[in-house]
Amino acid sequence: MKLIFAIIHDEDAHGVMDELNKKGFGVTKLASTGGFLKSGNTTIFIGVEEEKVDEALSIIEKKCKSRKQVTTANLPPTNITEGYIPYPIEVTVGGATIFVLDVDRFEKI
Amino acid sequence: MKLIFAIIHDEDAHGVMDELNKKGFGVTKLASTGGFLKSGNTTIFIGVEEEKVDEALSIIEKKCKSRKQVTTANLPPTNITEGYIPYPIEVTVGGATIFVLDVDRFEKI
Amino acid sequence: MKLIFAIIHDEDAHGVMDELNKKGFGVTKLASTGGFLKSGNTTIFIGVEEEKVDEALSIIEKKCKSRKQVTTANLPPTNITEGYIPYPIEVTVGGATIFVLDVDRFEKI
Ligand code: NI
Ligand code: NI
Ligand code: NI
């Protein structure tokens, strides 16, 4: 038995938990802030049989992988009468930091 | 030293923490959602000496064990003028998923 | 790789996280309550290379060490017309409970 701790982005939490549940993994979600992925992150943990660690990690990788997203930002106007000019910017979203721990003993009651 | 992670039902959190504290165990509670026990669950963790793991687990088992509870639900009326008919239903509450981890190093400052 | 779990006082969370970040450690903060340090505590966890565990622990020790603080409390009046009399009391603040765990596998995606 292994315990997987993954720190993921908030926006990926629902998708990765749905997919893990669908494949039979039990996932617990903890609210977290700061650190590894700077802001708006979530910690999930998953108890898995040793032989299923790779499957769980590949689901997390698929659903949380770091990717570029184009969004629009508003440029501050040089002349106040012109208003703000929206322009596209590229931001990186997603990503995960994953720790796999050994479980000494596992009980379900 | 061992670190016990237990995912329990919200309704059992107060009772099990009180009992663990009374027996001298230090417990930390984290809010959690989803996963092992579906909804409304709490994660607690407890640092314990190796020889006290069994005592801690038996307290968790006693206070959180899965049990049937009879509650009443309202049956939707077949005829709107009859109103809802309360009837007893049996639900399973409680239960816990427990991971015991080895602690490499323990410090209290 | 090691995973450090530290239960610290709320008031020390910002300072210790700032210092850990400044020294290049990634920290994740979880809200927690009760237990080791009774109330108003925070759990942080930090993934660190084995050779950096001592550095991380000494930052936590420096920023969270248990210390005495003088505060003023209001003594209940013996005579209601006298009002409350403020007097200084010494309280212990800070402190940390730290668990270092072995990491079996570490991934960053
Ligand atoms: Ni869904
Ligand atoms: Ni109580
Ligand atoms: Ni700051």
Side-chain angles (χ1 to χ4, degrees):
Chain A
M1 198 76 182
K2 302 281 179 180
L3 192 57
I4 301 173
F5 273 87
I7 302 120
I8 60 172
H9 267 251
D10 286 351
E11 72 233 52
D12 294 329
H14 186 88
V16 72
M17 290 181 77
D18 267 12
E19 185 74 10
L20 286 163
N21 284 329
K22 207 181 298 176
K23 297 291 161 58
F25 294 100
V27 195
T28 297
K29 182 179 174 288
L30 302 169
S32 60
T33 52
F36 296 112
L37 302 165
K38 292 288 132 56
S39 76
N41 62 59
T42 291
T43 299
I44 57 174
F45 64 93
I46 314 150
V48 294
E49 297 299 329
E50 191 145 5
E51 62 273 20
K52 294 206 151 189
V53 169
D54 283 331
E55 187 189 344
L57 294 188
S58 75
I59 293 171
I60 298 171
E61 189 160 347
K62 188 178 67 176
K63 291 292 182 182
C64 304
K65 67 169 170 291
S66 171
R67 66 245 175 222
K68 303 232 180 262
Q69 211 170 54
V70 174
T71 185
T72 54
N74 289 319
L75 208 63
T78 47
N79 182 320
I80 204 76
T81 60
E82 290 171 25
Y84 285 82
I85 305 145
Y87 68 105
I89 57 162
E90 202 180 59
V91 294
T92 301
V93 295
T97 301
I98 303 163
F99 301 96
V100 183
L101 309 176
D102 273 318
V103 173
D104 189 54
R105 192 166 153 185
F106 171 68
E107 306 270 350
K108 202 155 187 147
I109 60 172
Chain B
M1 198 76 182
K2 301 280 180 180
L3 193 58
I4 301 174
F5 273 87
I7 302 120
I8 60 173
H9 267 252
D10 286 350
E11 71 234 52
D12 294 329
H14 185 89
V16 73
M17 289 181 77
D18 267 10
E19 186 74 9
L20 286 164
N21 284 330
K22 207 181 297 173
K23 296 292 161 59
F25 294 100
V27 195
T28 298
K29 182 178 173 288
L30 302 169
S32 61
T33 51
F36 296 111
L37 301 164
K38 293 287 131 61
S39 77
N41 61 59
T42 291
T43 298
I44 57 175
F45 65 92
I46 313 149
V48 294
E49 297 299 328
E50 191 145 5
E51 62 273 20
K52 295 206 151 189
V53 168
D54 283 332
E55 188 190 344
L57 294 188
S58 77
I59 292 171
I60 297 171
E61 188 159 347
K62 188 179 67 178
K63 292 291 181 181
C64 304
K65 66 169 170 289
S66 171
R67 65 248 178 220
K68 303 233 179 261
Q69 212 170 54
V70 173
T71 184
T72 55
N74 289 319
L75 206 63
T78 47
N79 181 319
I80 204 73
T81 61
E82 288 172 24
Y84 286 81
I85 304 146
Y87 68 105
I89 57 163
E90 202 180 61
V91 292
T92 301
V93 295
T97 301
I98 303 163
F99 301 95
V100 183
L101 308 177
D102 272 319
V103 174
D104 188 55
R105 192 166 153 185
F106 172 68
E107 306 270 350
K108 201 156 186 146
I109 61 172
Chain C
M1 198 76 181
K2 301 282 180 180
L3 193 58
I4 301 173
F5 273 87
I7 302 120
I8 60 173
H9 267 252
D10 286 350
E11 72 233 51
D12 294 330
H14 185 88
V16 74
M17 288 181 78
D18 267 11
E19 186 73 10
L20 286 163
N21 284 330
K22 206 180 299 175
K23 296 292 162 57
F25 294 101
V27 196
T28 298
K29 183 177 173 288
L30 303 170
S32 61
T33 52
F36 296 112
L37 302 164
K38 291 289 131 58
S39 76
N41 61 60
T42 292
T43 298
I44 57 174
F45 64 94
I46 313 151
V48 294
E49 298 298 328
E50 190 145 6
E51 62 272 21
K52 294 206 150 188
V53 169
D54 283 332
E55 188 190 343
L57 294 188
S58 77
I59 292 171
I60 298 170
E61 188 159 346
K62 188 179 68 176
K63 292 291 182 181
C64 305
K65 65 169 171 292
S66 170
R67 66 248 175 218
K68 303 233 179 262
Q69 211 169 54
V70 174
T71 185
T72 54
N74 289 320
L75 207 64
T78 46
N79 181 319
I80 204 75
T81 60
E82 289 173 25
Y84 286 81
I85 304 146
Y87 70 105
I89 57 163
E90 201 180 62
V91 293
T92 301
V93 295
T97 301
I98 303 163
F99 301 95
V100 183
L101 308 177
D102 272 318
V103 173
D104 188 54
R105 192 166 153 185
F106 172 67
E107 307 269 351
K108 201 154 188 149
I109 60 171

